Amino acid sequence: MDAPLSTPCNIQICEVTCDSFRIMWDMTPEDTARATHFFIDLSRKESRDPNRFKHRDVPTKLVAKAVPLPMAVRGHWFLSPRTEYCVAVQTAVRQPDGDYLVSEWSQVVEFCTGDYAMEHLQQLLDKAKGSAGRLLKFSVFYRNQHPDYFDNVRSECGGLMRSALKDSSGSHGSPINGKLQGVFFSCNTEFDTGLPPKDSPYGPLRFQIPAGHLLNPKICLYFADFYCMYTAYHYVVLVLAPVGSEGDTFCRTRLPMLDLASNPFLTYTAPQRPGEEPLYCHASDVILEVLFTEPVRLDLGSVEQISGHHQLMSLTTANAKKDPSCKVCNISVGR
């Protein structure tokens, strides 16, 4: 009768990305020599069931042929970015009759997957380019809020709209979610008027600032996300960061940089002749969400009541979750 296999110990997780990881553990030399298969059980931490290893002789998730460790695990469970997982392993020897001699399950180890890497964001960017549409002229960035917000800016913040941490809306793997601070602006205009829309889901008061204050040659432009919320229209998240600023340093190694003068989403064209004004354009077929990474002074623009409605709460993107089934804005990694 074959000697029992020892329980895998000292489980280690390394090289974690948004949709893959490597796993290794300690085995005796004897077990290393005779193990033919590894059984790996992986589950999200929040749904962990302490009784999920019900049968020590039945593999529950992945049966892999024994390979030199560390072993790469990718794509088998459509791993999601920024998600906590639990993993345990068994070693096994396949018997001539097809049954397995298996070890006890190892201890359960927890780990968290990472953000989208630059290559994943480039895939998302390539998809977004196909939805951008033609470029339309605009002249102001704007931000809608409720009266209490602007009252607080004036009374408590010295007239400064302070940066706030980006929420979790959009793609779960976007590197800026919960990590980058800034002030969000819009710049989309209506087709018939060339002006900002009359309605807003964010509040009845609108702060407008000339586009040149936020978009100029001293600003770096980055692509951060492309998503939808179970709707036909899509959102593109862009970041504007002053050159050399903390926001610029954060984005430079994490997000694709866009050419200010030549990209499908948001452009600045310098004056061609003396006396001319710069030209600012935005994509017509996506809704742009523009995060400026520095505080913005109210006295650089104006605050006015919008003429339309502000109860369009179905359009708000606060903490909105991305549609994981959309073929237009999803890529071949975790959502």
Side-chain angles (χ1 to χ4, degrees), residues 54 56 92 125 143 161 194 196 205 234 254 260 264 273 311:
K54 293 180 180 179
R56 66 179 297 274
L125 171 58
R143 175 176 172 82
M161 290 189 291
L205 296 184
H234 283 79
R254 295 175 173 88
L260 278 182
R273 302 179 189 82
Q311 284 84 15

Side-chain angles (χ1 to χ4, degrees), residues 1 23 30 75 127 147 170 172 176 201 224 245 254 272 307 313 329:
M1 183 175 181
I23 184 169
E30 294 78 15
K127 278 183 166 281
H172 195 47
I176 70 172
S245 66
R254 295 175 173 88
Q272 303 300 304
S307 59
M313 293 311 295
C329 62

Side-chain angles (χ1 to χ4, degrees), residues 28 49 51 83 93 100 117 224 238 240 275 299 311:
T28 65
D49 177 357
N51 296 317
T83 303
V93 177
Y100 289 95
L238 303 173
L240 293 175
D299 60 14
Q311 284 84 15

Side-chain angles (χ1 to χ4, degrees), residues 35-154:
T36 62
H37 291 78
F38 300 146
F39 299 161
I40 299 180
D41 196 319
L42 180 72
S43 62
R44 289 175 182 253
K45 182 180 177 182
E46 59 267 27
S47 62
R48 186 176 66 179
D49 177 357
N51 296 317
R52 71 186 185 286
F53 304 135
K54 293 180 180 179
H55 306 290
R56 66 179 297 274
D57 57 345
V58 178
T60 55
K61 293 288 173 74
L62 173 67
V63 180
K65 287 188 176 181
V67 296
L69 300 177
M71 183 180 75
V73 179
R74 59 171 64 90
H76 299 289
W77 303 276
F78 302 100
L79 288 163
S80 295
R82 291 190 179 194
T83 303
E84 292 184 317
Y85 289 94
C86 303
V87 64
V89 298
Q90 276 182 322
T91 58
V93 177
R94 187 180 176 92
Q95 305 293 298
D97 61 2
D99 287 339
Y100 289 95
L101 171 70
V102 298
S103 71
E104 296 288 346
W105 283 106
S106 72
Q107 80 271 25
V108 176
V109 173
E110 299 176 356
F111 70 98
C112 186
T113 49
D115 298 333
Y116 283 161
M118 191 73 81
E119 63 184 284
H120 304 123
L121 286 164
Q122 188 61 52
Q123 292 178 38
L124 208 56
L125 171 58
D126 291 341
K127 278 183 166 281
K129 288 178 178 178
S131 297
R134 64 192 179 98
L135 290 170
L136 301 177
K137 296 179 183 179
F138 77 100
S139 60
V140 297
F141 287 97
Y142 55 93
R143 175 176 172 82
N144 276 70
Q145 286 287 345
H146 290 274
D148 289 349
Y149 170 83
F150 291 110
D151 289 343
N152 182 72
V153 168
R154 295 187 185 96

Side-chain angles (χ1 to χ4, degrees), residues 306-319:
I306 59 174
S307 59
H309 302 286
H310 66 274
Q311 284 84 15
L312 306 174
M313 293 311 295
S314 62
L315 297 181
T316 181
T317 61
N319 291 305

Side-chain angles (χ1 to χ4, degrees), residues 223-244:
F223 170 84
D225 202 2
F226 178 47
Y227 71 99
C228 71
M229 302 181 298
Y230 304 89
T231 55
Y233 45 86
H234 283 79
Y235 296 83
V236 169
V237 181
L238 303 173
V239 178
L240 293 175
V243 175

Side-chain angles (χ1 to χ4, degrees), residues 3-6 27-36 91 93:
L5 290 160
S6 60
M27 293 190 293
T28 65
E30 294 78 15
D31 287 354
T32 301
R34 63 185 180 133
T36 62
T91 58
V93 177

